[in-house]
Amino acid sequence: MIKRKAFNLLTDPWLPVLPAAGPPRSVSLLEALTQAHEFRGLALAHPLEHVAALRLLLAVLYRVTPPSSNLSDMQRLYREGRLPADAIEGYLKKHRERFDLEGETPFLQVPDLETTPTAITVLTADLPQGGWPLLTGRPDTDPPPLTPAQAARVLLVHQTFALGGLMKRHGVTAALDAPSARFALFHAVGNTLARTLLLNLAPPTAPADLPFWERPQPLAADVEGYRTRVQPLGPATSYTYLSRAVRLLPRADGRYAQVHHAAGWFYDELPHDPMLAWAEHPTRGRVPHRLDPEREAAFDLLAALPVGEGSRYPATLRHALALTGDLPPYVAVGALLTDPQRPAKVLGHRLERLRPRKGAGEEVLALLEAAERTAEAARKVVFHALHEAHPQASNEQIASRYRTLNPMTPYWNAVFEAYTEGGLRTPDVLAAALRRVEETLAIRYANRPRMLALLSNRLRALARESEEVLHG
């Protein structure tokens, strides 16, 4: 019997990249880093694969080129546009066996895990559920087996974006989300892959911040019943976190159709993740920023730009600003989108490349904050009006109707138009945006004049309140 050659992420091609000229091609992890100056960027079509792969490359660099409080060395690397190839190669070769996809120390896996085998689609549960396979890329039945390269990418995405929920396996009844699963992840975009990585190499937060491959190989006994607690103290840990215990099960042809699957490491606090933006919630305190499916992504960018003082902005973008003295020409934001009312329901995923508006300052930030406050109040008004129109409907039915109507998208479109045009008073912008909400519901409920009158009165009162608050 011929022994299959082990697939190793350091030496075998699995990462699609964009060369300086020509079509995309796949390279190994080692080639992606040592030749990063020759590539325009990653060429992963799936948004979550792109984000997860970039984080893996950064995790390696955190151990090879530790960011210094003195930026001069990093600025020199950025001007030269090259990563330290010899240091990268030497470091990765020391940990080569930890990047095998199979074996005694498999990459981001638990080698002796034994559970009831399940279809490998458990690793793609982050894709929209109940949708159309042609559009989502996820067949509902009889999924095709994955090549080693595909399995490596899917495994990486799953460890980055796995959603929590009931599991009842291996001593655990409910699994946690991956540390950064539902949050908006921001990174600066450079003109080459090397510069993109350097722009996002924000200073780490703890000496004990280690990637998966520098930690002892986890075994089944280590993760049973959430026995191992690993706090994501910084990027190297957060970017390579063992959110789930997984063991890929190869077929005779070297492809993968099934896995062993259970809960992985346990954490007590939200991660120190440089890609996260933070906001102050009225009841939950400091929380990471999430993408809102109802509104333009530009407003998520505004939430992340380092305007003014404070620690709410992603460390990646603050580092990019410090490194170059200016905002990057482009900022990318990626996320897994879930339903706020039904956390297990996946709505989709997003990776958008945005150009920061020149001159964005405190007045733009004030517009965003006022728009968010008013939007939250407007949602409550709309829900109340829908209850008036459908008094026999349950809360779940009202929420479903709200999602179908999608009344806040026109609101955010109006705010976005004002943002792009500039020079408009915030109270006028919010009043116009609230009229869009009223107009959207007026079309659907033209035969409900009482409900529309109630809605109109409350939305206009809200506009007046917003102006009083802004001028107060």
Side-chain angles (χ1 to χ4, degrees):
M1 181 176 179
I2 300 175
K3 186 178 180 180
R4 286 193 299 110
K5 176 183 176 294
F7 188 92
N8 188 282
L9 275 65
L10 297 188
T11 54
D12 290 300
W14 66 282
L15 267 179
V17 295
L18 286 169
R25 64 184 181 91
S26 290
V27 299
S28 67
L29 181 61
L30 185 58
E31 188 177 358
L33 285 165
T34 57
Q35 300 181 31
H37 56 283
E38 298 180 5
F39 307 132
R40 288 175 285 158
L42 297 175
L44 291 148
H46 193 295
L48 302 187
E49 286 188 2
H50 186 105
V51 174
L54 183 71
R55 287 159 71 87
L56 174 62
L57 296 175
L58 285 166
V60 173
L61 286 185
Y62 271 107
R63 304 302 294 161
V64 176
T65 312
S68 168
S69 56
N70 186 337
L71 284 177
S72 58
D73 290 341
M74 201 68 65
Q75 289 170 332
R76 176 183 54 79
L77 285 174
Y78 187 80
R79 287 193 301 271
E80 294 172 355
R82 290 173 178 262
L83 302 178
D86 291 343
I88 290 170
E89 187 169 359
Y91 170 80
L92 288 177
K93 283 185 174 179
K94 287 196 301 185
H95 302 284
R96 186 186 190 286
E97 71 281 358
R98 298 297 299 271
F99 289 87
D100 283 333
L101 205 55
E102 299 174 31
E104 296 181 358
T105 57
F107 178 71
L108 287 180
Q109 296 172 71
V110 177
D112 62 340
L113 183 67
E114 294 286 347
T115 62
T116 302
T118 185
I120 201 166
T121 49
V122 72
L123 305 186
T124 60
D126 47 67
L127 295 179
Q129 300 155 8
W132 297 266
L134 179 63
L135 300 179
T136 66
R138 178 195 176 192
D140 288 331
T141 58
D142 193 25
L146 303 184
T147 66
Q150 291 171 326
R153 297 195 298 268
V154 164
L155 175 65
L156 187 59
V157 168
H158 186 61
Q159 298 292 16
T160 307
F161 293 100
L163 294 180
L166 290 176
M167 181 165 279
K168 295 185 178 180
R169 189 179 305 147
H170 207 59
V172 172
T173 56
L176 296 172
D177 285 346
S180 305
R182 300 176 192 267
F183 308 129
L185 299 174
F186 295 90
H187 68 269
V189 180
N191 60 357
T192 66
L193 179 57
R195 287 202 168 103
T196 292
L197 293 169
L198 290 169
L199 283 171
N200 293 287
L201 204 61
T205 54
D209 179 32
L210 296 174
F212 175 83
W213 53 84
E214 287 196 53
R215 296 176 180 273
Q217 171 62 50
L219 300 175
D222 299 322
V223 295
E224 183 176 5
Y226 263 144
R227 184 170 298 166
T228 301
R229 279 171 155 74
V230 176
Q231 184 60 29
L233 296 173
T237 308
S238 295
Y239 293 178
T240 62
Y241 199 81
L242 191 76
S243 304
R244 296 291 180 269
V246 176
R247 180 157 70 94
L248 297 170
L249 300 177
R251 307 192 320 173
D253 62 0
R255 293 177 176 244
Y256 303 90
Q258 291 187 313
V259 298
H260 292 308
H261 186 257
W265 290 335
F266 184 91
Y267 61 90
D268 295 295
E269 299 176 3
L270 290 176
H272 295 275
D273 190 320
M275 292 188 179
L276 294 181
W278 298 83
E280 289 295 332
H281 190 273
T283 58
R284 289 180 288 152
R286 192 169 180 261
V287 297
H289 182 75
R290 297 190 184 193
L291 297 193
D292 186 340
E294 294 181 329
R295 69 182 186 187
E296 292 281 349
F299 288 98
D300 299 296
L301 171 64
L302 289 177
L305 291 183
V307 176
E309 300 297 327
S311 59
R312 62 174 285 169
Y313 311 106
T316 48
L317 301 189
R318 282 188 276 127
H319 169 73
L321 179 60
L323 185 66
T324 65
D326 200 358
L327 291 174
Y330 290 97
V331 170
V333 56
L336 177 66
L337 304 177
T338 57
D339 189 332
Q341 306 301 320
R342 294 178 293 172
K345 176 68 174 176
V346 175
L347 300 178
H349 34 71
R350 177 185 287 175
L351 178 63
E352 298 199 38
R353 181 169 157 165
L354 307 165
R355 183 188 290 274
R357 173 182 154 184
K358 294 296 183 183
E362 294 290 352
E363 73 285 352
V364 177
L365 187 62
L367 169 61
L368 170 66
E369 292 175 342
E372 287 180 331
R373 289 195 303 269
T374 303
E376 184 61 30
R379 287 189 189 97
K380 294 178 182 178
V381 168
V382 171
F383 268 95
H384 186 82
L386 291 176
H387 276 291
E388 291 282 339
H390 308 281
Q392 305 304 317
S394 65
N395 288 338
E396 184 176 345
Q397 289 170 327
I398 293 296
S400 177
R401 187 173 293 272
Y402 174 89
R403 288 191 296 271
T404 300
L405 293 169
N406 202 13
M408 295 309 296
T409 293
Y411 170 95
W412 285 111
N413 288 344
V415 179
F416 178 66
E417 290 166 10
Y419 159 72
T420 54
E421 292 173 7
L424 297 178
R425 293 175 63 251
T426 292
D428 296 336
V429 171
L430 298 183
L434 290 169
R435 283 196 295 273
R436 294 273 187 96
V437 178
E438 183 179 347
E439 291 164 1
T440 298
L441 293 171
I443 296 172
R444 185 65 181 267
Y445 288 95
N447 61 341
R448 301 284 184 99
R450 181 177 175 181
M451 176 265 203
L452 291 179
L454 172 69
L455 180 71
S456 177
N457 289 336
R458 292 186 176 177
L459 288 178
R460 292 176 186 181
L462 181 58
R464 290 193 297 271
E465 290 171 12
S466 299
E467 181 161 13
E468 290 169 3
V469 168
L470 289 167
H471 289 306

